[in-house]
Amino acid sequence: MKIAMITGASRGIGLAIAKQLYNDGCAVSIMDLADAETAQRDLQNAGIAPDRMLYRKGDITVAADRADFLAQTVATFGRVDILVNNAGVAPRVRNDLLDMTEESFDFVVGVNVKGNLGMTQTVAKQMIAQAPVNGRKGVIVNISSCSAYTSSTNRGEYCVSKAGVSMLTKLFADRLADEQINVFEVRPGIIATPMTAGVKEKYDRLILQEGVLPIRRWGQPEDVANCVSLLCDERMAYCTGDVLNADGGFHIQRL
Ligand SMILES: NC(=O)c1ccc[n+]([C@@H]2O[C@H](COP(=O)([O-])OP(=O)(O)OC[C@H]3O[C@@H](n4cnc5c(N)ncnc54)[C@H](O)[C@@H]3O)[C@@H](O)[C@H]2O)c1
């Protein structure tokens, strides 16, 4: 049985990833800010049985939480095969680039880039120390965004942070290749989750009326989870540093 650590999986895309990896046969270990009782109930309602699940309330930006998340996972399941860096935040307020506050920049980049970096450092060291299984010590998947390359001037800090996640993917894919660890990136487009609930009307218009996506529908959390599952497959062993766009074709430049 493979062991998957997933951040931010009490709801939205992370919850769908936890469910998919669980259905693929993994034990899932989750850290999120959400209260443990509620999160565990939601995870169980999603069909994840308690004997193959660990939930720890914690913050990816806090080093002690990251270390304890790993320690608890290893104490319970013995090793870590998969890390999915999914936890992420949008700015609390959308502000024009000229008025972006330092506080908002630090918050968004702190969680999305520094938190992701810290989690990867923590877990990669554990993976390196493990014996390989079928020639691999682990797989790391970062959830970035189409904002990694798309300008939105009213949430520039988010775009900067996701471009940072893309560079982290490249850096760790390079650094960890010799350690038999593959690193990938999934770039979601517009996905129906609590994060996008506040801008539903805008995206309904863009997707359904204006055809901004070649595939004219909202992405679902399961669309992203399926991509993560594919990248974790052992048949991807000779690939690293690759990006999979889970975006209905949004990345295609069109005339
Ligand atoms: N929804 C979209 O359209 C979309 C598009 C592109 C990328 N993404 C990315 O996908 C990921 C998941 O997004 P979502 O839409 O499911 O968002 P969401 O807000 O619904 O869920 C994010 C989860 O991460 C957790 N989290 C936030 N900060 C954390 C921290 N410091 N430590 C631990 N957990 C933390 C939250 O509690 C929440 O459960 C994010 O990285 C997001 O940037 C989302």
Side-chain angles (χ1 to χ4, degrees), residues 110-189:
V111 175
N112 295 356
V113 181
K114 224 165 82 173
N116 179 311
L117 167 67
M119 274 309 306
T120 303
Q121 288 175 318
T122 307
V123 176
K125 285 176 187 161
Q126 164 64 29
M127 288 175 169
I128 290 168
Q130 296 174 169
V133 175
N134 295 333
R136 269 208 311 198
K137 290 188 174 179
V139 180
I140 297 172
V141 183
N142 290 329
I143 307 301
S144 67
S145 167
C146 60
S147 297
Y149 62 89
T150 304
S151 163
S152 297
T153 56
N154 63 350
R155 53 190 175 107
E157 59 277 62
Y158 186 75
C159 301
V160 168
S161 75
K162 292 299 184 176
V165 172
S166 290
M167 181 46 80
L168 286 177
T169 306
K170 228 179 250 191
L171 286 165
F172 278 108
D174 181 14
R175 173 63 183 83
L176 298 175
D178 264 349
E179 312 285 359
Q180 300 167 283
I181 297 167
N182 304 98
V183 184
F184 299 110
E185 175 180 340
V186 174
R187 260 183 211 163

Side-chain angles (χ1 to χ4, degrees), residues 7-15 17 31-34 55 58-62 85-90 107 111-112 115 143-147 158 161-162 186-196 203 218-219 221 224:
T7 63
S10 76
R11 68 181 202 194
I13 292 171
L15 177 59
I17 294 170
M31 185 165 80
D32 194 303
L33 298 175
Y55 181 85
D59 186 333
I60 61 164
T61 66
V62 176
N85 283 309
N86 164 78
V89 291
F107 168 61
V111 175
N112 295 356
I143 307 301
S144 67
S145 167
C146 60
S147 297
Y158 186 75
S161 75
K162 292 299 184 176
V186 174
R187 260 183 211 163
I190 306 167
I191 313 295
T193 71
M195 187 182 270
T196 46
Y203 288 127
W218 278 80
V224 182

Side-chain angles (χ1 to χ4, degrees), residues 3-248:
I3 316 304
M5 292 174 72
I6 309 152
T7 63
S10 76
R11 68 181 202 194
I13 292 171
L15 177 59
I17 294 170
K19 199 172 154 185
Q20 181 58 50
L21 294 182
Y22 177 85
N23 288 336
D24 290 345
C26 297
V28 292
S29 183
I30 290 155
M31 185 165 80
D32 194 303
L33 298 175
D35 153 70
E37 207 175 307
T38 316
Q40 275 162 340
R41 191 196 55 217
D42 293 346
L43 287 157
Q44 282 182 43
N45 286 343
I48 299 175
D51 61 330
R52 274 205 280 140
M53 185 247 286
L54 185 73
Y55 181 85
R56 186 199 189 282
K57 180 181 175 184
D59 186 333
I60 61 164
T61 66
V62 176
D65 286 0
R66 295 192 298 259
D68 189 62
F69 178 34
L70 173 67
Q72 279 195 30
T73 304
V74 175
T76 309
F77 299 115
R79 61 181 280 126
V80 183
D81 301 283
I82 295 166
L83 167 66
V84 184
N85 283 309
N86 164 78
V89 291
R92 292 186 179 107
V93 180
R94 292 187 173 204
N95 249 340
D96 180 74
L97 192 56
L98 296 175
D99 300 317
M100 182 207 296
T101 64
E102 225 177 297
E103 185 271 335
S104 184
F105 183 89
D106 289 347
F107 168 61
V108 174
V109 174
V111 175
N112 295 356
V113 181
K114 224 165 82 173
N116 179 311
L117 167 67
M119 274 309 306
T120 303
Q121 288 175 318
T122 307
V123 176
K125 285 176 187 161
Q126 164 64 29
M127 288 175 169
I128 290 168
Q130 296 174 169
V133 175
N134 295 333
R136 269 208 311 198
K137 290 188 174 179
V139 180
I140 297 172
V141 183
N142 290 329
I143 307 301
S144 67
S145 167
C146 60
S147 297
Y149 62 89
T150 304
S151 163
S152 297
T153 56
N154 63 350
R155 53 190 175 107
E157 59 277 62
Y158 186 75
C159 301
V160 168
S161 75
K162 292 299 184 176
V165 172
S166 290
M167 181 46 80
L168 286 177
T169 306
K170 228 179 250 191
L171 286 165
F172 278 108
D174 181 14
R175 173 63 183 83
L176 298 175
D178 264 349
E179 312 285 359
Q180 300 167 283
I181 297 167
N182 304 98
V183 184
F184 299 110
E185 175 180 340
V186 174
R187 260 183 211 163
I190 306 167
I191 313 295
T193 71
M195 187 182 270
T196 46
V199 280
K200 183 176 178 307
E201 252 174 53
K202 174 188 166 186
Y203 288 127
D204 273 348
R205 179 175 41 79
L206 285 173
I207 297 168
L208 304 172
Q209 291 167 28
E210 296 180 21
V212 73
L213 308 179
I215 299 176
R216 280 180 186 250
R217 69 161 174 85
W218 278 80
Q220 296 301 319
E222 291 72 23
D223 292 311
V224 182
N226 284 332
C227 292
V228 173
S229 170
L230 289 170
L231 292 171
C232 292
D233 192 283
E234 283 174 8
R235 285 172 291 180
M236 296 299 292
Y238 193 57
C239 305
T240 197
D242 294 272
V243 179
L244 196 47
N245 294 286
D247 66 352

